[in-house]
Amino acid sequence: MKKDLGAVWGRKGVRALLMLVPLLLAVVIPMVYFAAISLTPIPSGAQVPKGIWALLPEFKGKLEYRQAWIEAFTTLLCPMLLLCVPLLTGAVSSACAFMGEKEEGTLETLLLSSMDAKSIFNAKVTGCTLLSTFLSVVAFAAFFLTAAVGDLLTGAPFFLRIDWLVLVFLVTPAMSVFSVVFVSLIITRVHSTGEAMQTLGYLVLPVVLVYLVQFTGVFRLHWAVLLAVAAGLAVLSVILYNLSAQSFQPEKLFARPPEDLADGQPR
Amino acid sequence: MDAITAYGLTKQYEGRTVLQGVNLQVPQGSAMAFAGHEGSGKTTLIRLLSGLCRPTAGECSVLGMSPAFETAKLHAQLGVVLETAPLYRTMTLAENLRFFAGIHNMDANDAQERSSFLLHRLDIWEYRDEKAGALPTGVTRRASLARALMHTPRVLLIDEAARGLDPDTAEIVRALLRYSVQEEGAALLLGTRNMWYAEKVCQSFSLMQGGVLIARGDKESLRKGAGVRFRAALRLAEGDEPPPGFQLSEGLWQKDIDSEEEMPAIIAQAVGQGKRLWEAKLIRPALDEIYRAYLAGGKRREAAYGQQTRQKPEDSPAGAPAADSGAAVQAEQPGEDREDG
């Protein structure tokens, strides 16, 4: 596990990605939004669109125009940004730990040791999930500070309510496990680390779509729905974990003829 | 007790047969070379015996364990060197050895002692603190062998031990392999296309071609099976006529003989006839020559079989053994021959 974490962190490009993307999503984008909404002059009679207004909590009547936009941003859009962190870090670390090692050939060396395939798989999944969860926690802490300062400066209500708590403590870890296991499942089908990372799109797209649609005012994700999502992701992760662990066998991982067949005689 | 056994071992990849019906026994404490040209199925056999892939048909066992189903337990006593299984590039050589020693639950002191022994024996001690990714090819190959030998395995499966090594380094590797077999009691299966090296390291040989085991046994039985004879070679003074039956080849008068016991008579005859004999020697055929004879024999057998089929299709046998006398002939039609076959 230590070796896997070291290997993921040892790749310059991956390390930069794992540090910069959470920073961008959890700090830079919210900060730019807060600055923009605070500095933009408000036209007289400006109102928050009715659809979004309808999704704001009961105390919305007390909110000014800027405060309403900050409330909408922090509760309707920022969860999407924060959820992208476990997805991204989980998928990238998993792609490096599984596919990176497969590409370099050391997965074969490892499978020739006295460690059984299941233990190797477990160590990799655990390491990647811990890394992803740790980075998600750090990203949330950074977002917490940014949003708290923004709320204080604009007088907007404090953002951390029950839906955020469910999101941070249940959905985020479930998302980390899910993305790690999802990528581990596809390593027998892809050919490179880059290709494995591209599957990130399949994971991020549904999250982005759900939150963007929410921001148009069609629906609001209630905390109970988030609770169900966390439970659903956990169940799905267990299923995918079992499927992935079963396919983590040398025969399936290296399902190709050895090198010396390149000019061998097909019979 | 046989450390390695295989019966009818067959492997197909996407319909292509890369190993066909191989039978094999390697006793504990002995070294067998699995020799053949590129594409003869050497790597596939090692992958099957190490549990990296499963046979399409047939079965094999190593130390009485099934490689496919008792993989981790087997790997605790098995050392494998494959070109496709390198060391961790970002770790130093010493870190790599410590890491794999840790996986094999070796005590830290034992691991230190063993790695020091192996690095010195393989003459790569001075590279111990360099990253594996930066090591020269020859050192990398020796480092992989050190990794495989760290836990003092009872069975060694090595693919192309001498490829990319200069003669001195190949000799160092050979000495360590001999030490493992003779002093540590390991069984060695060496996959190689370097017949000379196979002959230096091993006592018995399995000759492969196109995924088929064409013959196996010790060198003498293989020589007899292939019909390759000894040669008596004489160097005579200039102007002296050679004894009857001798032909000039490579500066020496040579003649095929059936047994080395004919040599005293040949020498006595030459001296008795008043020849000025400056040198007399017995030329034993190299394994490579024997292998080529098997390949050529296969071609001749194929031609003969084709002719027989054309003449008497109803009487054609499935194939007749063309060689006997101790060499176990596994396949009668070894497929198409190579350029040098």
Side-chain angles (χ1 to χ4, degrees):
Chain A
M1 203 163 76
K2 189 180 157 193
K3 171 193 66 62
D4 283 333
L5 293 177
V8 171
W9 207 245
R11 291 183 171 206
K12 279 183 190 170
V14 173
R15 187 169 62 217
L17 194 71
L18 292 178
M19 287 165 73
L20 292 178
V21 174
L23 189 74
L24 180 78
L25 294 171
V27 178
V28 177
I29 294 176
M31 203 182 272
V32 168
Y33 182 85
F34 289 139
I37 208 79
S38 303
L39 300 175
T40 309
I42 308 167
S44 60
Q47 286 188 335
V48 175
K50 281 182 186 174
I52 294 175
W53 183 255
L55 297 180
L56 296 179
E58 298 79 33
F59 53 78
K60 61 192 170 191
K62 297 175 189 170
L63 300 177
E64 293 173 8
Y65 179 76
R66 282 200 177 94
Q67 292 169 338
W69 270 117
I70 285 180
E71 171 66 18
F73 177 68
T74 51
T75 58
L76 301 179
L77 264 190
C78 285
M80 172 191 81
L81 301 178
L82 264 292
L83 281 181
C84 285
V85 176
L87 282 179
L88 184 136
T89 53
V92 169
S93 59
S94 187
C96 289
F98 284 97
M99 203 59 213
E101 195 152 1
K102 188 182 167 191
E103 273 183 311
E104 286 184 6
T106 47
L107 188 57
E108 195 168 312
T109 318
L110 208 52
L111 287 165
L112 287 171
S113 73
S114 59
M115 205 171 171
D116 65 284
K118 186 81 183 285
S119 303
I120 295 169
F121 180 77
N122 284 342
K124 286 187 181 298
V125 168
T126 309
C128 294
T129 306
L130 284 178
L131 178 66
S132 171
T133 307
F134 171 75
L135 290 171
S136 303
V137 168
V138 170
F140 177 72
F143 172 75
F144 180 88
L145 287 175
T146 311
V149 170
D151 287 346
L152 273 177
L153 291 178
T154 56
F158 190 52
F159 75 98
L160 194 61
R161 289 186 288 273
I162 189 162
D163 47 353
W164 261 106
L165 291 174
V166 172
L167 190 94
V168 172
F169 292 105
L170 296 174
V171 181
T172 301
M175 210 60 118
S176 286
V177 180
F178 178 75
S179 61
V180 168
V181 174
F182 183 82
V183 172
S184 73
L185 184 67
I186 54 136
I187 60 160
T188 52
R189 296 175 182 85
V190 296
H191 302 98
S192 67
T193 308
E195 207 179 323
M197 284 185 192
Q198 283 169 16
T199 54
L200 191 61
Y202 299 117
L203 300 171
V204 168
L205 201 64
V207 174
V208 171
L209 275 177
V210 166
Y211 278 94
L212 285 182
V213 171
Q214 178 184 239
F215 202 67
T216 61
V218 177
F219 60 83
R220 179 175 174 129
L221 289 170
H222 191 261
W223 64 267
V225 175
L226 290 175
L227 206 61
V229 167
L233 279 174
V235 171
L236 207 55
S237 298
V238 171
I239 295 168
L240 291 186
Y241 172 86
N242 285 319
L243 287 174
S244 188
Q246 277 169 19
S247 65
F248 194 78
Q249 298 293 331
E251 176 80 10
K252 291 179 181 170
L253 290 167
F254 312 113
R256 46 116 177 86
E259 301 299 318
D260 68 353
L261 286 173
D263 60 346
Q265 300 172 8
R267 294 167 60 89
Chain B
M1 178 199 157
D2 286 335
I4 302 169
T5 55
Y7 298 103
L9 202 58
T10 300
K11 180 65 183 173
Q12 292 181 333
Y13 283 104
E14 296 163 0
R16 281 190 303 163
T17 303
V18 292
L19 201 67
Q20 189 171 308
V22 169
N23 295 330
L24 199 68
Q25 289 86 39
V26 183
Q28 191 67 46
S30 71
M32 174 183 270
F34 200 68
H37 288 152
E38 195 87 17
S40 58
K42 305 180 295 290
T43 308
T44 301
L45 177 74
I46 290 179
R47 295 177 76 86
L48 284 165
L49 293 173
S50 58
L52 286 179
C53 58
R54 294 184 181 185
T56 311
E59 55 188 60
C60 58
S61 76
V62 180
L63 295 170
M65 289 177 264
S66 162
F69 298 103
E70 298 168 276
T71 317
K73 197 177 157 194
L74 171 62
H75 286 171
Q77 301 182 67
L78 182 69
V80 185
V81 178
L82 280 169
E83 283 191 329
T84 49
L87 296 177
Y88 286 99
R89 297 171 60 80
T90 51
M91 289 188 200
T92 66
L93 177 49
E95 284 169 348
N96 265 292
L97 295 185
R98 272 201 299 276
F99 173 72
F100 285 102
I103 288 183
H104 287 289
N105 296 319
M106 284 178 75
D107 174 67
N109 289 331
D110 291 345
Q112 180 65 35
E113 195 179 326
R114 181 73 174 164
S115 69
S116 172
F117 166 76
L118 292 170
L119 294 177
H120 278 109
R121 281 296 293 254
L122 288 165
D123 197 23
I124 49 174
W125 172 253
E126 64 269 34
Y127 294 99
R128 65 192 180 282
D129 293 325
E130 290 193 21
K131 300 272 186 200
L135 296 174
T137 310
V139 177
T140 305
R141 296 197 65 81
R142 280 178 279 167
S144 286
L145 179 61
R147 190 263 308 153
L149 288 169
M150 265 307 278
H151 56 297
T152 323
R154 288 178 62 201
V155 173
L156 268 172
L157 305 176
I158 299 184
D159 194 22
E160 296 295 357
R163 186 185 282 182
L165 300 181
D166 60 69
D168 289 343
T169 313
E171 178 55 30
I172 288 171
V173 170
R174 188 197 67 81
L176 184 59
L177 292 178
R178 296 282 290 183
Y179 176 85
S180 287
V181 173
Q182 290 175 351
E183 305 298 323
E184 295 178 345
L188 168 67
L189 184 67
L190 177 72
T192 185
R193 40 182 185 167
N194 185 336
M195 302 288 166
W196 175 81
Y197 198 71
E199 213 173 325
K200 294 266 281 181
V201 177
C202 302
Q203 305 92 41
S204 62
F205 311 90
S206 289
L207 303 182
M208 295 291 299
Q209 201 230 349
V212 176
L213 181 61
I214 52 176
R216 68 183 153 88
D218 58 24
K219 193 179 159 191
E220 181 57 16
S221 65
L222 288 173
R223 183 191 68 77
K224 286 179 182 166
V228 180
R229 300 167 76 190
F230 292 115
R231 280 198 304 278
L234 305 177
R235 192 153 68 85
L236 302 172
E238 208 170 330
D240 278 9
E241 284 297 312
F246 278 78
Q247 303 287 327
L248 190 63
S249 173
E250 297 167 359
L252 294 170
W253 294 101
Q254 296 188 19
K255 179 188 173 186
D256 285 349
I257 55 173
D258 293 325
S259 162
E260 52 196 333
E261 286 170 9
E262 292 178 34
M263 277 304 282
I266 289 171
I267 295 167
Q269 185 189 17
V271 173
Q273 288 172 354
K275 314 282 184 202
R276 287 172 294 165
L277 182 62
W278 287 356
E279 186 182 350
K281 64 179 176 181
L282 178 76
I283 300 176
R284 296 168 195 278
L287 185 63
D288 188 43
E289 193 181 340
I290 296 170
Y291 179 64
R292 279 188 278 114
Y294 269 107
L295 297 186
K299 193 178 256 181
R300 279 198 300 274
R301 285 194 295 277
E302 273 182 352
Y305 175 71
Q307 201 174 16
Q308 199 176 20
T309 309
R310 280 193 297 276
Q311 286 169 356
K312 282 185 179 181
E314 69 281 8
D315 297 333
S316 301
D324 50 12
S325 65
V329 178
Q330 297 291 314
E332 289 73 37
Q333 296 180 65
E336 294 170 27
D337 283 314
R338 302 298 173 93
E339 261 180 24
D340 57 349

